[in-house]
């Protein structure tokens, strides 16, 4: 059974009217967390809510999450003040597998940019060459631009509105990459379902290993309630698919195994 920790919000960085990065003191999570894992955070409104870990600081013993307000739970979290106390369960789930990764292409969209930042920081700290492509709606949504530029060799941005970076979505950019630049590249994607599916299809067509981080609605976060099941191909078991728990068996899965 995962232990629950009492934690304190020590820093709130407001990114816009609906978004903030929250930093909490929690030595256990700072020590253990791997890129792609998430935490289940209390919110004063029924169940805890899941958030991808955006970064950890092992010296300061903190972890951060980026939160976008979409409903009551995230509203309560965004409204919290520095010094407020929370409870948290984590780190949860299976993160991105980095063993054998030689070159990384990270693709983020929506709130997926927050866990993508964690993967980028890990790559930088471990000397893995990394290119990041983030898709935003417009310039006003392009949070953490400077931070992303600082953690990778090549940071590319697309906006639907065309007011920053390349006009279009992440696929518009990916399709411009020459095949010769893609050898030995592993792709990791976090974002809206449709974006992850399109990027996975592109990666598969190029013969690249690709991982996605699925976002299902969750309750317990630890594999007990089955609220978060997703369909994963299971040809080796003689079945079209099996149900897997996104929180415990994922949230990261190999892209070609996912039934979208
Ligand atoms: C593994 C994982 C990692 C996540 N990481 C982040 C993150 O880093 N930053 C962030 O801001 N959010 C993240 N989310 C989404 C976040 O958990 C939800 O936005 C939050 O739980 C919504 O709670 P609420 O009470 O504000 O909204 P609710 O009132 O519960 O829902 C409001 C709206 O959001 C939709 N929604 C709720 N939960 C989800 C979900 N899990 N996936 C997709 N849509 C949802 C609902 O369908 C509804 O339309 C993550 C979710 C998962 C499963
Ligand atoms: S949220 Fe309960 S099993 Fe995944």
């Amino acid at each position: 059974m995962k232990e629950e920790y009492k934690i304190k919000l020590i820093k709130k960085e407001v990114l816009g009217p609906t978004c903030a990065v929250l930093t909490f003191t929690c030595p256990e999570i700072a020590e253990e967390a791997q890129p792609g894992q998430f935490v289940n955070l209390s919110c004063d409104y029924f169940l805890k809510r899941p958030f991808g870990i955006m970064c950890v600081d092992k010296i300061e013993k903190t972890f951060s999450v980026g939160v976008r307000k979409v409903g009551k739970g995230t509203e309560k979290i965004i409204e919290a003040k520095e010094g407020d106390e929370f409870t948290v369960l984590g780190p949860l789930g299976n993160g991105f597998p980095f063993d054998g990764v030689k070159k990384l292409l990270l693709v983020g969209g929506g709130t997926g940019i927050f866990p993508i930042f964690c993967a980028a920081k890990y790559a930088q700290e471990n000397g893995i060459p990394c290119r990041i492509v983030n898709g935003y709606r417009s310039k006003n949504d392009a949070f953490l631009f400077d931070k992303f530029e600082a953690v990778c060799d090549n940071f590319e941005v697309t906006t639907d509105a065309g007011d920053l970076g390349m006009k279009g979505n992440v696929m518009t950019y990916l399709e411009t990459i020459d095949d010769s630049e893609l050898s030995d590249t592993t792709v990791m994607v976090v974002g809206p379902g449709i974006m992850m599916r399109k990027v996975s299809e592109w990666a598969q067509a190029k013969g690249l290993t690709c991982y996605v981080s699925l976002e299902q609605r969750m309750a317990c976060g630890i594999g007990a309630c089955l609220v978060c099941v997703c369909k994963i191909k299971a040809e080796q078991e003689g079945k079209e698919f099996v149900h897997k728990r996104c929180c415990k068996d994922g949230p990261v899965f190999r892209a070609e195994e996912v039934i979208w």
Side-chain angles (χ1 to χ4, degrees):
M1 188 71 181
K2 262 285 176 204
E3 207 176 322
E4 192 173 82
Y5 304 111
K6 276 203 184 322
I7 56 170
K8 194 174 270 190
L9 175 63
I10 57 156
K11 191 172 168 207
K12 176 164 123 176
E13 189 187 343
V14 176
L15 301 180
T18 60
C19 238
V21 173
L22 307 179
T23 300
F24 301 90
T25 309
C26 185
E28 297 84 355
I29 290 178
E31 194 52 48
E32 267 185 61
Q34 297 298 318
Q37 288 190 296
F38 66 99
V39 294
N40 239 3
L41 192 64
S42 62
C43 68
D44 266 348
Y45 193 73
F46 303 112
L47 298 171
K48 292 186 176 64
R49 303 296 200 271
F51 299 98
I53 293 167
M54 180 185 141
C55 54
V56 297
D57 186 327
K58 288 191 182 183
I59 295 163
E60 299 293 330
K61 303 186 188 317
T62 61
F63 76 91
S64 306
V65 291
V67 179
R68 169 170 280 149
K69 183 171 83 179
V70 296
K72 275 269 187 245
T74 43
E75 184 179 2
K76 295 269 184 197
I77 292 171
I78 292 261
E79 281 171 356
K81 296 183 194 63
E82 290 174 1
D84 284 357
E85 290 193 339
F86 286 74
T87 54
V88 71
L89 210 53
L92 300 173
N94 294 312
F96 290 108
F98 274 88
D99 276 359
V101 172
K102 294 187 185 134
K103 230 162 90 185
L104 196 57
L105 171 60
L106 295 173
V107 186
T111 56
I113 66 162
F114 300 121
I116 282 292
F117 183 79
C118 192
K121 207 147 180 275
Y122 180 92
Q124 187 184 47
E125 285 163 5
N126 288 277
I128 302 169
C130 172
R131 179 196 307 228
I132 305 176
V133 189
N134 277 353
Y136 302 100
R137 281 197 202 126
S138 73
K139 193 176 167 183
N140 295 338
D141 267 348
F143 305 131
L144 306 172
F145 201 95
D146 297 348
K147 276 191 194 284
F148 273 105
E149 276 195 320
V151 290
C152 66
D153 310 296
N154 188 341
F155 178 48
E156 303 290 343
V157 166
T158 66
T159 47
D160 300 337
D163 53 359
L164 186 70
M166 185 179 277
K167 182 173 168 52
N169 57 37
V170 293
M171 289 310 305
T172 321
Y173 175 78
L174 294 180
E175 274 152 11
T176 67
I177 304 179
D178 195 88
D179 284 354
S180 62
E181 296 175 46
L182 291 171
S183 58
D184 287 336
T185 297
T186 300
V187 185
M188 298 178 181
V189 199
V190 195
I194 181 72
M195 183 192 106
M196 291 198 286
R197 183 160 70 85
K198 292 279 178 203
V199 176
S200 327
E201 285 165 4
W202 171 84
Q204 219 170 329
K206 302 277 177 194
L208 305 175
T209 303
C210 178
Y211 296 95
V212 295
S213 179
L214 297 186
E215 250 203 39
Q216 298 286 343
R217 296 211 68 155
M218 290 185 182
C220 72
I222 53 169
C225 71
L226 306 185
V227 156
C228 66
V229 289
C230 51
K231 287 181 181 175
I232 299 295
K233 289 179 193 161
E235 279 149 29
Q236 282 175 349
E237 295 170 44
K239 299 175 190 163
E240 188 194 342
F241 65 84
V242 291
H243 283 110
K244 294 231 171 170
R245 297 158 302 179
C246 184
C247 65
K248 179 110 178 162
D249 306 312
V252 173
F253 292 94
R254 272 190 83 116
E256 75 265 22
E257 293 179 347
V258 175
I259 297 187
W260 298 97

